[in-house]
């Protein structure tokens, strides 16, 4: 059988089979029942997004991260990319972000920049590719990451909701949101306890199945804001930075 | 009333509009789900899930005229995830097996060639079967399949190539004994 004939046969065969299939009457009743009894759908994308950002920065190799359910943000970075300040600035402009990168954030000094390609996918499977630029700042070996990208448009408010308690402040009409989240990195086969599940629901804990062979706890401090269609995040693990300190750092950039 | 108007009504809370959309596309969704999963039972579950997901997320659909492709894309994504788990309670053979049941799909196939093709399709692994169904039944482009299944376009092409080769081999092997008998 030649290629064209075989392709035609596959098509016809599938269509013949399908033509005999009709949705059973029970299906509509099941759909209605599910709609009438569905709990409110809440997705917590932001907390997972934070991990994605952090994971890329931490492992600095091609990495992928998918949130639970259908949606998520898939990120890819490069281990050997080390952009200097002016190159990072240029990449930011290419990413559509209007921000002048400082050479210092608080007491942290610019070390290098890197690109992160992200693909956002909402619950409905709609995707959106966004170029993100990360800038790493250091102080005595400790790292602080500034990431910036054009804001995602595919997610609903529910999907963007983050259960981790937040502290907010206003600077020049821009809302800054500080969080100090407890992350637990666990191996792939880790089973959550009931207590952990409860803690996740309340936002006390975020469990990540990405990039760890053993259970490891870290505190993740971050300040997030949106301005002129772009999203900015300053973040770091176990930095000990409190809300006011991070608000002051962000305020320097929100001018 | 067209899909765009019905979606708009749904977005304003009119669930009768949803009933209308359901009636229009229930068979399309059910057929695709059955072919992808290889099971009527699972097909019904998946089609139901797709309708529920779409109804709950209707406000995120910007272009109401695209309801059908949106529904089927949602379904194939859910089905893909389901297939990846590879833990189906109902084996593929329920669907593809010629079996004795009156409802066996191969019963409707007209030629031996198609029945052999059908049996060969059953022996494909899930990744390649899903790709074949989306490509040949739902007329998805390689790019669309790549988006729906979360792989690169190159991977989709590779799966299609590999599936065609597998089907061809299966057909050839089926035919060999007969040819040998004919020539013997």
């Amino acid at each position: 059988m030649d290629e064209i004939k075989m392709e035609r046969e596959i098509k016809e065969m599938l269509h013949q089979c399908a033509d005999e299939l009709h949705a059973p009457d029970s299906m509509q009743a099941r759909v209605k029942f599910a709609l009438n009894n569905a709990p409110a759908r809440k997705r917590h994308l932001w907390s997972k997004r934070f991990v994605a950002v952090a994971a890329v920065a931490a492992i600095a190799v091609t990495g992928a991260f998918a949130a639970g359910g259908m949606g998520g943000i898939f990120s890819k970075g490069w281990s050997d990319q080390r952009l200097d300040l002016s190159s990072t600035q240029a990449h930011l402009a290419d990413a559509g972000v209007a921000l002048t990168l400082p050479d210092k954030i608080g007491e942290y000094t610019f070390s290098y920049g890197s690109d992160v390609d992200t693909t956002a996918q909402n619950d409905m499977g709609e995707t959106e590719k966004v170029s993100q630029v990360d800038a790493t700042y250091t102080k005595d070996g400790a790292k602080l990451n500034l990431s910036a990208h054009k804001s995602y448009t595919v997610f609903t408010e529910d999907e963007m909701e983050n259960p981790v308690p937040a502290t907010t402040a206003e600077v020049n009409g821009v809302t800054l949101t500080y969080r100090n989240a407890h992350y637990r990195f666990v191996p792939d086969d880790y089973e959550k306890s009931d207590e952990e599940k409860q803690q996740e629901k309340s936002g006390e804990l975020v469990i990540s199945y990405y990039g760890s062979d053993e259970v490891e706890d870290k505190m993740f401090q971050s300040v997030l804001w949106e301005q002129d269609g772009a999203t900015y995040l300053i973040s770091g693990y176990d930095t000990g930075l409190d809300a006011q300190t991070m608000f002051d750092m962000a305020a320097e950039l929100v001018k | 009333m067209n899909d765009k108007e019905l979606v708009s009504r749904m977005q304003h809370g009119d669930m009768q509009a949803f009933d209308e959309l359901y009636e229009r596309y229930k068979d399309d969704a059910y057929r695709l789900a059955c072919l992808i999963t290889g099971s009527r039972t699972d097909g019904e579950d998946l089609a139901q899930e797709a309708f529920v997901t779409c109804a709950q997320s209707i406000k995120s659909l910007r272009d109401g005229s695209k309801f059908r492709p949106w529904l089927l894309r949602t379904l194939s994504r859910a089905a893909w995830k389901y297939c990846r788990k590879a833990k189906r309670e109902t084996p593929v053979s329920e669907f593809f097996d010629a079996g004795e049941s009156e409802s066996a799909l191969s019963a409707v196939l007209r030629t031996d060639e198609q029945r052999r093709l059908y049996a060969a399709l059953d022996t494909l692994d899930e990744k390649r079967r899903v790709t074949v169904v989306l490509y040949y039944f739902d007329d998805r482009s390689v790019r669309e399949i790549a988006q729906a299944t979360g792989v690169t376009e190159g991977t989709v092409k590779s799966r299609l190539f590999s599936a065609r080769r597998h089907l061809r081999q299966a057909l050839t092997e089926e035919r060999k004994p007969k040819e040998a008998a004919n020539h013997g």
Side-chain angles (χ1 to χ4, degrees):
Chain A
M1 188 188 291
D2 65 40
E3 192 78 13
I4 294 172
K5 188 180 177 207
M6 195 175 81
E7 294 205 335
R8 194 170 60 235
E9 289 280 358
I10 296 170
K11 213 176 234 290
E12 284 177 8
M13 178 266 291
L14 289 170
H15 279 278
Q16 275 184 41
C17 296
D19 286 348
E20 297 300 311
L21 290 165
H22 299 284
D25 292 340
S26 59
M27 197 166 91
Q28 186 169 22
R30 291 177 61 195
V31 169
K32 288 199 167 182
F33 180 83
L35 285 174
N36 291 333
N37 293 280
R41 296 182 342 133
K42 295 281 183 188
R43 292 283 315 290
H44 303 135
L45 195 65
W46 276 111
S47 54
K48 292 176 167 107
R49 176 180 178 276
F50 290 157
V51 177
V53 170
V56 167
I59 62 173
V61 292
T62 300
F65 185 87
M70 234 186 269
I73 296 173
F74 300 81
S75 301
K76 187 172 72 175
W78 289 266
S79 60
D80 56 353
Q81 193 178 26
R82 293 287 186 273
L83 301 172
D84 61 21
L85 187 63
S86 62
S87 299
T88 307
Q89 184 67 64
H91 285 222
L92 263 181
D94 291 344
V97 176
L99 172 74
T100 302
L101 275 177
D103 55 5
K104 287 183 85 92
I105 295 180
E107 297 176 345
Y108 291 75
T109 306
F110 178 86
S111 177
Y112 62 89
S114 58
D115 296 310
V116 180
D117 290 341
T118 67
T119 300
Q121 179 179 304
N122 67 14
D123 271 353
M124 304 311 305
E126 293 172 311
T127 59
E128 177 182 28
K129 288 186 184 298
V130 171
S131 296
Q132 177 179 310
V133 176
D134 282 6
T136 299
Y137 290 75
T138 58
K139 185 189 89 169
D140 301 330
K143 285 184 177 178
L144 200 62
N145 187 69
L146 165 65
S147 71
H149 59 83
K150 288 184 82 170
S151 297
Y152 298 111
T153 60
V154 292
F155 297 119
T156 63
E157 283 185 14
D158 275 0
E159 288 173 304
M160 300 290 273
E161 188 180 298
N162 186 343
V164 177
T167 305
T168 60
E170 294 281 328
V171 174
N172 297 336
V174 174
T175 303
L176 308 176
T177 303
Y178 169 86
R179 287 189 174 88
N180 185 19
H182 179 185
Y183 274 86
R184 180 163 295 158
F185 295 90
V186 299
D188 290 345
D189 58 354
Y190 185 81
E191 288 194 19
K192 297 175 193 174
S193 68
D194 289 341
E195 185 188 3
E196 286 173 329
K197 288 175 187 171
Q198 279 304 116
Q199 288 176 318
E200 274 198 306
K201 275 186 187 170
S202 65
E204 290 174 60
L205 179 67
V206 182
I207 292 188
S208 169
Y209 283 86
Y210 188 74
S212 182
D213 293 328
E214 56 189 23
V215 177
E216 190 178 6
D217 285 65
K218 289 183 181 232
M219 296 305 292
F220 184 67
Q221 293 82 29
S222 65
V223 60
L224 172 83
W225 71 98
E226 282 195 82
Q227 189 175 22
D228 300 330
T231 300
Y232 304 91
L233 180 77
I234 299 175
S235 63
Y237 282 108
D238 295 332
T239 63
L241 296 171
D242 61 18
Q244 191 53 55
T245 307
M246 291 198 88
F247 286 151
D248 291 343
M249 289 174 164
E252 289 297 309
L253 303 177
V254 176
K255 284 185 221 172
Chain B
M1 190 172 288
N2 61 33
D3 286 3
K4 192 170 186 174
E5 291 165 329
L6 288 170
V7 167
S8 174
R9 280 175 50 192
M10 260 191 87
Q11 288 172 334
H12 289 87
D14 179 355
M15 288 309 284
Q16 280 187 341
F18 174 68
D19 292 343
E20 178 70 32
L21 286 165
Y22 176 87
E23 280 302 317
R24 279 183 195 181
Y25 301 120
K26 63 180 182 181
D27 283 345
D28 288 352
Y30 180 66
R31 287 167 179 166
L32 181 62
C34 288
L35 287 174
I36 287 179
T37 62
S39 160
R40 290 169 193 265
T41 310
D42 294 335
E44 183 179 343
D45 285 350
L46 283 167
Q48 174 212 323
E49 185 182 326
F51 274 112
V52 170
T53 303
C54 286
Q56 288 176 326
S57 306
I58 195 70
K59 287 184 179 172
S60 68
L61 179 60
R62 297 184 190 106
D63 182 354
S65 66
K66 303 262 173 66
F67 179 82
R68 182 183 181 278
W70 185 58
L71 168 71
L72 297 185
R73 195 167 66 239
T74 301
L75 186 150
S76 52
R77 282 184 182 283
W80 173 246
K81 281 184 66 191
Y82 168 82
C83 283
R84 278 196 299 182
K85 289 180 186 170
K87 300 246 185 225
R88 287 169 300 174
E89 293 173 7
T90 310
V92 173
S93 54
E94 177 214 309
F95 196 67
F96 289 107
D97 192 352
E100 307 303 324
S101 165
E102 281 294 311
S103 63
L105 290 188
S106 58
V108 304
L109 296 174
R110 300 186 189 107
T111 66
D112 286 346
E113 197 103 82
Q114 286 184 329
R115 277 191 279 275
R116 284 204 302 272
L117 203 51
Y118 201 56
L121 192 64
D122 181 26
T123 63
L124 286 176
D125 63 32
E126 287 156 344
K127 290 175 182 174
R128 287 183 293 174
R129 194 182 65 249
V130 169
T131 307
V132 165
V133 171
L134 291 176
Y135 189 79
Y136 288 107
F137 175 71
D138 203 36
D139 291 327
R140 303 282 184 90
S141 67
V142 167
R143 186 178 182 184
E144 288 170 329
I145 297 170
Q147 287 174 344
T149 57
V151 298
T152 64
E153 291 181 34
T155 302
V156 173
K157 287 178 187 170
S158 166
R159 285 178 184 165
L160 278 173
F161 176 79
S162 162
R164 286 190 202 107
R165 189 177 56 191
H166 182 91
L167 293 175
R168 181 181 299 286
Q169 273 176 354
L171 288 176
T172 306
E173 283 164 13
E174 281 271 348
R175 198 179 287 141
K176 271 180 187 167
K178 288 183 183 175
E179 287 171 352
N182 288 340
H183 290 87

